[in-house]
Amino acid sequence: MERGYHTKNEIFSQTEAWANALDVVEAQRSRLEPLLQSDYTQVLFIGCGSTHYLSLAAATLFQDLSGKLARGLPGGELWMNPHFATPNNNLRRKTLLIAISRSGSTTETVRAVEAFKALDGGTVLALTNYPDQPLVEMADLALVVEKGQEQSVAQTRSFASLFVTTTALALIAAGRRSELGDLRRLPAVGERLLRDYDPLARQWGENLTLDRFYFLGSGFRYGLACEANLKMKEMTLTHTEPFHFLEFRHGPKSMITETTAVVGLLSDTTRSHEQRVLEEAEGLGARVLSLAENDATVNFQSGLAEILRGVLYLPVLQAIAYYRSLAKGLNPDRPVNLTSVVVLD
Ligand code: F1P
């Protein structure tokens, strides 16, 4: 089988998994509405690796939309320090824990849920791509997006499918049910992006003069920047780092060379600030790639509200990592030193 066969298939078929995610949410909406609209003092999202970064993005999106306090944490942090999550131990009964895991069997995430429940914690909602795994058994309610399952170690369509799921959950929590229908337009836009920007992704991926990538994103886009950073690490063994946009000026900017790529996940609402950071990076010699609804290197032109279209930042960035991996003679299906699930004894 050719190098990267599974990764390519999973990236370029991912919009089917986005649609499946929306079907799964719709099928459970009658149970999700009372659960998500209850008066929690906080909502904790947890995951590991990619799904930790998903938790960061989802928590910001959830809080933006619902007004409820929401945070993202690595599963390992909640497992090792259950009280870390809520210093004054108000974890009891007022916290909704949303545990995200492609496999549903990552030890830290499973143990974190156990610790949370042992504290007589609140409700556990599981988001995963595999049924009959420990996480599904332990949750009060599990959303299983099976079309997001993957052969590859590095998450691509699994991550995107679960991120679409969290976008829908945030809308439900906010009582913005009418916009759930708008999410149905995402797969067609994703298909167009994968088709129209495949040459650009290949060109950037095959440019091996670039030796470091910085991914910049603010708001919920920071978690997506973290994920793009991890894809580049896992698939291509390249030094990469994510930053909140304005943080890049506070030191990391000194790392820019002529062989540096700076990738900006531009927002609508704070774009003027973000654009200036990219212009400064370009002035220092960096190659800049921007993604936005319009007037960027990659233009979504989705016609969707900003809060609904976060998943659109992912496909082209995943494809760049895929092409770079092949150009470096690596196999993105089997990243070095990695397994698809971390199970500790
Ligand atoms: C989490 C994870 C992945 C990572 C690698 C090892 O898995 O850390 O994010 O890419 O595959 O496992 P999961 O809990 O989301 O299944």
Side-chain angles (χ1 to χ4, degrees):
M1 193 171 286
E2 78 198 49
R3 276 185 303 124
Y5 170 83
H6 291 304
T7 303
K8 181 176 186 179
N9 170 51
E10 288 151 6
I11 291 172
F12 287 88
S13 70
Q14 67 179 288
T15 57
E16 293 164 26
W18 303 4
N20 181 217
L22 295 173
D23 292 342
V24 168
V25 169
E26 186 54 33
Q28 300 268 20
R29 185 155 48 81
S30 60
R31 295 181 66 189
L32 286 167
E33 276 172 344
L35 187 151
L36 292 166
Q37 293 171 9
S38 301
D39 60 341
Y40 299 107
T41 49
Q42 69 170 350
V43 180
L44 278 188
F45 290 80
I46 60 166
C48 298
S50 287
T51 40
H52 165 224
Y53 299 137
L54 207 171
S55 298
L56 296 180
T60 307
L61 195 70
F62 195 93
Q63 182 166 304
D64 280 354
L65 272 172
S66 70
K68 293 180 194 287
L69 187 65
R71 293 196 296 153
L73 278 176
E77 289 301 296
L78 187 61
W79 169 35
M80 293 188 295
N81 309 286
H83 297 290
F84 169 80
T86 51
N88 57 359
N89 191 21
N90 73 0
L91 190 64
R92 293 179 184 286
R93 300 189 201 294
K94 298 177 186 159
T95 301
L96 170 62
L97 179 64
I98 302 183
I100 309 176
S101 171
R102 166 180 65 181
S103 61
S105 55
T106 294
T107 299
E108 295 104 299
T109 304
V110 169
R111 299 270 171 84
V113 171
E114 282 167 355
F116 175 81
K117 290 170 79 103
L119 278 170
D120 187 20
T123 311
V124 178
L125 173 57
L127 308 186
T128 184
N129 300 111
Y130 291 85
D132 56 49
Q133 290 300 314
L135 194 63
V136 173
E137 311 303 322
M138 303 165 74
D140 298 281
L141 179 56
L143 301 182
V144 184
V145 186
E146 298 202 40
K147 285 247 173 97
Q149 293 178 3
E150 286 164 332
Q151 299 297 317
S152 291
V153 169
Q155 298 193 14
T156 51
R157 73 179 175 197
S158 59
F159 182 99
S161 74
L162 296 178
F163 182 69
V164 167
T165 302
T166 63
T167 304
L169 296 183
L171 286 174
I172 292 172
R176 292 170 57 166
R177 209 162 114 181
S178 63
E179 288 165 277
L180 279 175
D182 294 342
L183 294 179
R184 290 285 178 185
R185 290 164 46 197
L186 283 169
V189 180
E191 278 303 305
R192 173 168 49 81
L193 293 175
L194 283 164
R195 186 185 63 243
D196 292 355
Y197 288 100
D198 183 38
L200 176 141
R202 189 173 193 133
Q203 180 191 14
W204 274 81
E206 293 179 349
N207 179 353
L208 295 186
T209 61
L210 297 171
D211 65 2
R212 68 193 72 175
F213 282 74
Y214 297 113
F215 294 92
L216 310 184
S218 289
F220 71 82
R221 285 164 298 274
Y222 172 68
L224 302 181
C226 290
E227 169 59 10
N229 139 77
L230 183 62
K231 285 304 78 92
M232 199 55 86
K233 280 191 176 75
E234 289 179 333
M235 290 194 206
T236 79
L237 306 182
T238 303
H239 286 286
T240 67
E241 259 189 288
F243 294 100
H244 293 87
F245 252 102
L246 305 190
E247 278 298 293
F248 193 57
R249 287 198 181 99
H250 297 270
K253 198 171 84 170
S254 62
M255 292 293 289
I256 287 178
T257 65
E258 303 283 321
T259 56
T260 298
V262 174
V263 179
L265 285 70
L266 291 168
S267 71
D268 298 357
T269 45
T270 52
R271 177 160 185 163
S272 58
H273 299 285
E274 298 162 355
Q275 195 71 47
R276 281 186 58 190
V277 174
L278 295 185
E279 286 158 8
E280 288 167 27
E282 196 159 35
L284 293 170
R287 289 285 310 280
V288 167
L289 186 148
S290 58
L291 301 97
E293 178 69 0
N294 291 299
D295 307 321
T297 319
V298 176
N299 297 301
F300 306 145
Q301 293 170 334
S302 68
L304 288 168
E306 177 173 41
I307 204 85
L308 304 181
R309 57 173 127 95
V311 72
L312 299 179
Y313 291 99
L314 295 169
V316 175
L317 296 182
Q318 292 166 347
I320 290 172
Y322 162 73
Y323 284 120
R324 182 176 173 88
S325 179
L326 295 187
K328 289 186 73 172
L330 300 168
N331 181 0
D333 290 356
R334 293 285 168 265
V336 174
N337 303 334
L338 279 188
T339 57
S340 57
V341 187
V342 173
V343 178
L344 307 173
D345 52 17

